[in-house]
Amino acid sequence: IIFVFTVFLGFYFYVQRKHWWILGVTFIPFIALILTFSRSSYLAFFMGSLVFSILEKKWKQLVIGFILFIVLFFVIPNPGREYLHMDRIETSNARVENWKESITLIQKSPILGYGFNTLRYIQEKPPAVDAVSHAGAGFDNRSLFLLATTGILGFGIYVWLLISIVRFTLRITAK
């Protein structure tokens, strides 16, 4: 997602300053984005491109960007490994299973949660990793992780803190 943000930041600077070298520099994280083979990053790029085009009314650039993305995606060699295929379903199934496990834990202690760094020890089927690894100490979804560790109370405080930060920032920038 950092590559996606970097590409959009480059587009923003290009729109503001109209220097062609900015597009050249932006092309590097664009290639890196394609090489990630990350479906969620591709989706974020496509949705961000759509929003950027709507806000800036730059439909020609949207079409050119999509065509460039598709051409580069098919030109860049795929080593043929199973985990690089776009139609792989195992990773999606594993993520959904992880979400189900987190929801089960949240339902058992919804108000206060379990506390930070305790998820590894309270899961019904502990991960098959050694005690040194941190792979079994969390969930794939950050919101579910926050709910499981801090409960509704901690999650509410976290959301309140985020809203306060946004309000404070808007107040400062409005002056």
Side-chain angles (χ1 to χ4, degrees):
I1 201 74
I2 291 174
F3 293 135
V4 174
F5 286 143
T6 305
V7 168
F8 286 128
L9 188 62
F11 288 154
Y12 173 77
F13 284 135
Y14 174 72
V15 168
Q16 296 297 315
R17 306 201 196 281
K18 303 289 189 224
H19 295 297
W20 284 101
W21 66 268
I22 295 174
L23 285 180
V25 171
T26 304
F27 192 70
I28 295 169
F30 183 72
I31 292 294
L33 169 67
I34 292 172
L35 289 173
T36 63
F37 293 100
S38 167
R39 295 173 292 184
S40 57
S41 295
Y42 294 162
L43 181 63
F45 175 75
F46 284 122
M47 294 306 293
S49 298
L50 186 63
V51 169
F52 180 78
S53 298
I54 290 171
L55 292 177
E56 296 291 329
K57 295 178 178 52
K58 306 245 183 219
W59 302 107
K60 181 179 164 185
Q61 285 85 346
L62 176 69
V63 172
I64 291 171
F66 282 156
I67 290 172
L68 180 64
F69 186 87
I70 298 297
V71 166
L72 285 173
F73 180 77
F74 286 110
V75 168
I76 297 215
N78 183 342
R81 298 201 173 97
E82 184 63 33
Y83 58 87
L84 296 180
H85 291 194
M86 293 303 292
D87 60 348
R88 64 193 184 275
I89 195 80
E90 295 83 17
T91 56
S92 301
N93 289 340
R95 186 164 289 173
V96 169
E97 186 63 32
N98 186 274
W99 292 347
K100 287 179 184 177
E101 291 173 15
S102 64
I103 290 170
T104 301
L105 285 177
I106 292 167
Q107 289 172 343
K108 291 179 181 177
S109 180
I111 305 298
L112 294 177
Y114 291 100
F116 194 69
N117 281 342
T118 60
L119 291 181
R120 169 194 312 273
Y121 306 108
I122 59 163
Q123 291 177 359
E124 289 181 17
K125 54 178 188 176
V129 292
D130 57 17
V132 177
S133 172
H134 297 286
F139 295 117
D140 295 338
N141 185 306
R142 296 296 157 230
S143 299
L144 293 176
F145 174 75
L146 190 61
L147 270 168
T149 55
T150 65
I152 294 171
L153 184 65
F155 188 78
I157 292 170
Y158 178 75
V159 170
W160 172 79
L161 181 62
L162 285 179
I163 291 170
S164 298
I165 290 170
V166 169
R167 283 184 183 164
F168 178 76
T169 305
L170 291 175
R171 234 185 336 203
I172 294 227
T173 57
K175 290 183 180 181

